[in-house]
Amino acid sequence: MSKETVLWGRYEELRPDQIEAIKGERSVAYIPWGAIEYHGVHNPIGLDGIKAYGLCLELAQAAGGCVLPTVYHATSTIKSVKDLAHRQHSIEHSEKLLKLLAEELFLQLADEGFRVVVLLTGHAGQPHMDILKDVAKECEKKCLDSRFWAIAEFDIVEDSVLVANHSAYGETALQLHYRPDLVALDRLDEGDAPTLERDAVWGDDPRPATAEEGAKIAEAFVQAAKKRIDELLR
Ligand SMILES: [Zn+2]
């Protein structure tokens, strides 16, 4: 547990007294949600989870609270998109499993006394994202003492900073910010911009992405999310 301006910690590393101290100050739990999903030849298959975990850690350092270990169970991966031929390097789970897992995590964390539970999904497939948001809404009806907030990072920042993308400029910049050692932009062909069909890239060309740009995106996300968490805690 580290004390900076606020108390925060990685949940699985904390002792009970440390958890109670964090909860006493800022009763927030974060669930980083990723996927095992093909992200082209230039990024690791765990990009979504690595990104979500990194963002949750930075957010917890600003807003306080406990960050859970990353969940890598996802539905709606690129493997399930009929018109695409990216059939390997993804693990596709059922919608039923996703729903159940999200609901149990939300309700268990509420039972543990967390007043705000934030689920950040780094994987933006659909209906994966909508399922998690729907579960959050259902849990709010079931459990009136806690607030449940499910988001993707691009939901709460300006479009000029970040838009939904797959292994394109935004995701690659964030990956370069958190784990530059896992990115290999030189594996992409020179010449024409990468495409979804050939390269599994959906969105702006990732080749000019930088760690500095990733840090800026993370900062914008943390600012916006902290503001909302402050409101939810009130
Ligand atoms: Zn992704």
Side-chain angles (χ1 to χ4, degrees):
M1 184 167 70
S2 6
K3 172 92 186 168
E4 278 155 330
T5 49
V6 289
L7 288 180
W8 72 278
R10 293 173 169 87
Y11 199 37
E12 74 278 17
E13 296 182 0
L14 299 170
R15 294 183 301 276
D17 62 310
Q18 296 175 310
I19 295 170
E20 293 312 316
I22 292 172
K23 277 199 318 207
E25 227 174 69
R26 301 279 285 182
S27 186
V28 187
Y30 304 87
I31 309 170
W33 207 295
I36 295 295
E37 183 185 34
Y38 181 61
H39 273 74
V41 294
H42 56 302
N43 272 314
I45 58 170
L47 184 149
D48 294 340
I50 294 166
K51 174 183 68 173
Y53 191 59
L55 287 168
C56 282
L57 290 178
E58 282 198 69
L59 177 54
Q61 284 161 45
C66 298
V67 181
L68 270 83
T70 311
V71 178
Y72 276 97
H73 299 79
T75 187
S76 327
T77 64
I78 201 163
K79 190 185 211 168
S80 69
V81 181
K82 280 196 189 70
D83 305 333
L84 291 177
H86 305 302
R87 295 272 170 265
Q88 264 200 306
H89 311 297
S90 302
I91 307 283
E92 175 77 20
H93 291 285
S94 67
E95 293 178 18
K96 194 175 144 193
L97 177 93
L98 188 74
K99 245 182 233 175
L100 192 62
L101 193 51
E103 185 180 18
E104 290 191 2
L105 278 168
F106 274 144
L107 296 179
Q108 277 295 303
L109 288 165
D111 188 58
E112 287 297 319
F114 287 100
R115 285 183 52 221
V116 173
V117 183
V118 180
L119 187 161
L120 173 63
T121 178
H123 172 55
Q126 284 292 25
H128 173 96
M129 219 164 38
D130 282 348
I131 289 171
L132 296 175
K133 290 177 182 180
D134 287 347
V135 174
K137 278 183 208 142
E138 283 160 28
C139 288
E140 291 228 309
K141 285 180 214 152
K142 283 183 196 163
C143 180
L144 301 176
D145 293 334
S146 297
R147 302 298 307 273
F148 304 95
W149 189 38
I151 46 164
E153 66 278 9
F154 52 81
D155 285 341
I156 58 165
V157 297
E158 301 281 332
D159 285 355
S160 59
V161 176
L162 182 71
V163 289
N165 71 101
H166 189 260
S167 218
Y169 185 81
E171 282 206 324
T172 302
L174 282 167
Q175 193 68 21
L176 286 167
H177 172 47
Y178 291 120
R179 290 296 304 271
D181 56 314
L182 305 182
V183 182
L185 282 169
D186 58 357
R187 298 294 308 277
L188 287 166
D189 289 340
E190 286 170 26
D192 291 348
T195 65
L196 180 59
E197 292 73 19
R198 192 187 58 211
D199 310 288
V201 169
W202 174 60
D204 290 344
D205 192 340
R207 291 172 298 181
T210 61
E212 289 71 29
E213 190 57 35
K216 273 189 215 160
I217 297 169
E219 199 190 320
F221 166 80
V222 167
Q223 268 185 24
K226 183 184 181 297
K227 201 172 149 206
R228 180 68 184 139
I229 290 167
D230 289 345
E231 287 164 12
L232 291 171
L233 279 171
R234 263 184 238 129

